[in-house]
Amino acid sequence: MTKLPRVASDTFWVGVNDHETDLFEALWPLPYGVSYNAYLVVGEKIALIDAVKGHFLPEHLRKIREVLPPGRSVDYLIINHMEPDHTGALEVLRSVFPGMTIIGNNKTLGMLEAFYGSSSSCRQVQDGDLLDLGTHKLQFHLTPMVHWPETMMTYDGATGVLFSGDAFGGFGAVDEGLFDDEVNLEKMHKEMLRYFTNIVARYGQMVLKAIDKLRQVPFTVVAPTHGTVWRRDPSMPVRLYGRWSAQECDPAVVVAYGSMYGNTYRLAEAVTRGLTEHGFRPLVHDVARTHASEVIADIWPRKGLILACPTYNTGLFPPMEALLAFLENKLLKHRLVGFVTSYAWAGGARKTLEDFAHRLSLEVVEPVVDVKGAGTPQDLAQCRLLASNLAERLSQ
Ligand SMILES: Cc1cc2nc3c(=O)[nH]c(=O)nc-3n(C[C@H](O)[C@H](O)[C@H](O)COP(=O)(O)O)c2cc1C
Ligand SMILES: [Fe+2]
Ligand SMILES: [Fe+2]
């Protein structure tokens, strides 16, 4: 009897945990690793649902073989998402299971050709199509641009499992436990929010469309391609992704500052103190020292954002510039922002931040505090006023 986690009857997790990659997409840190979840549905026909990143193939294959009944082979590989973290092992899988038919939609098959050079032994499916494995009948739901154009979900009506691809996924390896009733939910939510904001956030509108479509699907288990499988509360990942996609925010504040010599820091500190005195508990980040991955994840569910930044070669201090480029790329909306800037001669940070707010249609809370040099008691009073105005707007 296999020790591999059983997601439902005849349905096994054959994924892998990756503790070797330190940056996902060569960008986002993985302090707790990441999993590439793949699932084997062992019916009268056998389907592998998604695969793993290329160099984890030996472990993946060992797990598949552990649950394959003697003398049987994998009949289908269903590709919910073509990104190489799920298809890197494809060519070797094909040679190991030569009779295997690859299932994807028209976008998937075009991409397979472009990445792996061959689209033979492929079957194209349309939205709503069924694949009959015998007892298990898999239905395909196209959910484009979550977060690539070919993304789709696969639903098994016999078990109620929704194989959701990257949607509802999270960072963090699953070796402590695969299921939502086995893991530390607080840590897992944080890693899920970081995954959502780092990878998927730009496509929030498409996630909302996918969620809307899922209203017709009576799933009881959500099995994504990364992170926790949800069987105790399958509605939870949908609610979380829905809220983050709609950019619904809590009345809370992040203070993100950069400072080379401490002057801007003192101004940011005055705003932070002011907010604390108004009952808020701001999360304060030094953008030069905390990775943007975490700062973005903290900003996302919060309505208030203070950006404090010195002028640097007529523009923004570079780590702040990098953070704002990410936020703009992720189409940040609906935030109340406050600006504290500093300079020594002609300035420039203030204008750059105001342009940023204008492009993203963010409401700027007054006053914008633009300080020459170390700042005066009046400047610090302006910082307090900014804190009090933001606190008031957040309390409305
Ligand atoms: C590398 C560098 C570039 C700067 N470029 C400008 C600039 O273009 N315009 C300006 O008015 N001040 C410029 N400044 C001055 C800083 O904005 C100013 O000293 C500010 O008080 C620094 O804040 P901090 O103490 O928080 O680092 C520059 C400072 C440094 C170190
Ligand atoms: Fe992906
Ligand atoms: Fe992925």
Side-chain angles (χ1 to χ4, degrees), residues 288-353:
R289 296 188 171 84
T290 306
H291 198 285
S293 168
E294 275 181 54
V295 184
I296 295 164
D298 278 344
I299 288 172
W300 207 261
R302 293 178 174 82
K303 181 84 178 167
L305 174 60
I306 298 288
L307 298 173
C309 184
T311 303
Y312 187 101
N313 299 343
T314 76
L316 295 177
F317 180 52
M320 180 65 81
E321 194 169 25
L323 173 68
L324 298 196
F326 278 130
L327 293 175
E328 185 161 358
N329 181 272
K330 291 169 192 307
L331 308 176
L332 185 83
K333 285 196 260 255
H334 312 317
R335 300 306 191 285
L336 296 169
V337 288
F339 298 145
V340 176
T341 49
S342 64
Y343 63 100
W345 57 97
R350 173 185 184 152
K351 169 139 189 2
T352 315
L353 286 181

Side-chain angles (χ1 to χ4, degrees), residues 13 28 76 95 100 121 139 210-211 243 266 302 327 340:
W13 180 80
W28 314 108
Y76 301 105
S95 61
M100 182 176 79
S121 310
Q139 185 165 40
I211 289 175
R243 192 176 149 71
R266 275 192 298 279
R302 293 178 174 82
L327 293 175
V340 176

Side-chain angles (χ1 to χ4, degrees), residues 81 83 147 166:
H81 181 26
E83 198 169 356
H147 58 130
D166 278 358

Side-chain angles (χ1 to χ4, degrees), residues 141-164:
H141 297 277
L142 271 55
T143 52
M145 287 319 302
V146 179
H147 58 130
W148 276 32
E150 85 300 358
T151 46
M152 65 178 195
M153 299 188 189
T154 298
Y155 173 65
D156 183 349
T159 54
V161 180
L162 177 71
F163 302 95
S164 61

